Amino acid sequence: MKKITFIIALFCISSFSNAQVLLSEGFDTALNWTVTHVSGSAGSVGWTRVTTGANPACTPAVGAGMAQFDAYNIASGNNYSLRSPEITFTGASYRVTFKMFRDNGYPDDADRIRVYYNNTTANGGTLLGTVNRSIALAPVVAATGWYNYSFDLPAGLNNTGYVAFMATSAYGNRIFMDDIKVSQIQNDDAQMVSINMQDISATQGNTNIAGTLKNMGANTMTSVDLNYQVNGGTVYTQNLTGLSIAPGATYNYSHTTPWNATPGQYTIKVFSSNPNGNSDTDMTNDEVTKVVAIASGSSTRLPLYEKFSSSTCP
């Protein structure tokens, strides 16, 4: 059977949040959500709770458990829904956020999840967004690992409703999800998306700490503090001003204080603070970390050619 194991390369770390969270699920003790086989040939339970993952190999993004969709063993074309418990909305603006593990196995297999809102328990509803498992498919990312995703719910909800993840198997690798939240959208909220550095680099000396952040707030972001720290050491802060990042838009940052990289392995942490000069009321998405290794040296690979003019060389 066609299958290859991949190793997790990216970790996401969360911290405490005082934002208004209507629902939070990390699958630490049980699945808790409702699984429905929507279409296809069946023969599998579809969604389960696991503590470790294989095909691809991974561990929970946070806590002790995560949800798994077994596309590795489910025939292509099967659809399974993972539906939340009932949620009560009170007229504000809301979004669903979650972490999904994405990998580079079977890059053309479109195993995916589609996120829906519905005010009944029926399958489907209002489609909020789609994320493919393969890093080569939309939205394209550079490396295997956990990624944060978010979709806004319909405006003006003032009733009870449900969020559901519809998983579709293309008989590729498994899909893993963790840390699902439905929260009220805050006015000022910066999210760190990525650190754009290679896992292993031969470059030493001054190195730019660069990546992407996203405006998750309802207000246009005009300023934010960008901070980074290496192995828990000195925090370097840059105040970004004169910005105009619309709600939901991203911004590519590059910290003005370079890191003096020397050979070794390091944990780089980049985090935001003070969006628009205010406290960030959702701190669960403020930071991202990446483990990088700086090589002590490198050499150019040269090809070896042998001409069999007389006898072969062992």
Side-chain angles (χ1 to χ4, degrees):
M1 180 182 289
K2 59 173 184 80
K3 303 292 174 185
I4 300 174
T5 299
F6 291 86
I7 305 300
I8 186 170
L10 179 69
F11 298 90
C12 295
I13 298 176
S14 296
S15 56
F16 177 76
S17 167
N18 60 356
Q20 184 183 355
V21 178
L22 304 187
L23 177 145
S24 179
E25 182 58 70
F27 309 106
D28 288 339
T29 58
L31 192 64
N32 295 323
W33 290 30
T34 301
V35 178
T36 304
H37 180 238
V38 178
S39 62
S41 57
S44 172
V45 294
W47 285 100
T48 56
R49 174 196 176 262
V50 296
T51 56
T52 59
N55 305 110
C58 70
T59 56
V62 294
M66 55 188 172
Q68 169 190 278
F69 176 65
D70 194 12
Y72 185 83
N73 289 311
I74 296 175
S76 181
N78 273 273
N79 291 279
Y80 284 81
S81 173
L82 181 66
R83 189 183 71 243
S84 73
E86 185 179 83
I87 307 168
T88 300
F89 300 96
T90 56
S93 297
Y94 304 95
R95 72 163 49 104
V96 55
T97 61
F98 58 96
K99 292 178 172 64
M100 180 170 166
F101 192 86
R102 304 185 63 200
D103 72 280
N104 60 353
Y106 312 108
D108 296 327
D109 289 354
D111 313 293
R112 66 186 185 276
I113 61 98
R114 288 168 288 166
V115 188
Y116 288 94
Y117 167 78
N118 203 326
N119 58 7
T120 74
T121 58
N123 295 315
T126 301
L127 178 62
L128 306 179
T130 301
V131 182
N132 285 279
R133 171 201 54 81
S134 168
I135 65 174
L137 301 178
V140 175
V141 292
T144 292
W146 286 102
Y147 289 88
N148 292 311
Y149 293 100
S150 65
F151 299 110
D152 291 355
L153 274 62
L157 295 181
N158 197 8
N159 50 17
T160 58
Y162 305 84
V163 169
F165 294 85
M166 183 76 72
T168 300
S169 174
Y171 195 49
N173 273 345
R174 296 182 173 100
I175 294 173
F176 298 96
M177 294 179 56
D178 202 357
D179 195 29
I180 302 172
K181 290 184 175 65
V182 176
S183 307
Q184 182 177 333
I185 297 175
Q186 305 300 303
N187 287 331
D188 300 302
D189 181 15
Q191 178 190 57
M192 298 307 304
V193 177
S194 66
I195 302 172
N196 297 339
M197 299 181 66
Q198 295 181 342
D199 296 333
I200 301 175
S201 174
T203 302
Q204 301 182 31
N206 286 346
T207 301
N208 290 331
I209 304 297
T212 303
L213 62 83
K214 184 176 182 179
N215 181 10
M216 296 290 285
N219 296 331
T220 296
M221 187 181 300
T222 59
S223 67
V224 66
D225 287 347
L226 177 67
N227 316 274
Y228 83 85
Q229 187 179 37
V230 180
N231 283 356
T234 302
V235 174
Y236 297 96
T237 301
Q238 176 188 359
N239 180 239
L240 300 174
T241 59
L243 306 176
S244 183
I245 309 172
T250 58
Y251 174 83
N252 295 325
Y253 66 81
S254 181
H255 204 289
T256 54
T257 303
W259 168 46
N260 183 22
T262 56
Q265 181 168 292
Y266 302 89
T267 298
I268 312 294
K269 180 173 75 171
V270 180
F271 57 101
S272 62
S273 56
N274 302 319
N276 290 337
N278 299 316
S279 297
D280 194 326
T281 51
D282 182 1
M283 294 185 289
T284 63
N285 59 10
D286 286 356
E287 67 179 52
V288 63
T289 64
K290 186 176 182 67
V291 177
V292 300
I294 305 300
S296 58
S298 63
S299 60
T300 303
R301 291 185 177 182
L302 299 175
L304 172 65
Y305 295 95
E306 181 175 353
K307 183 177 181 180
F308 300 104
S309 57
S310 55
S311 61
T312 59
C313 181

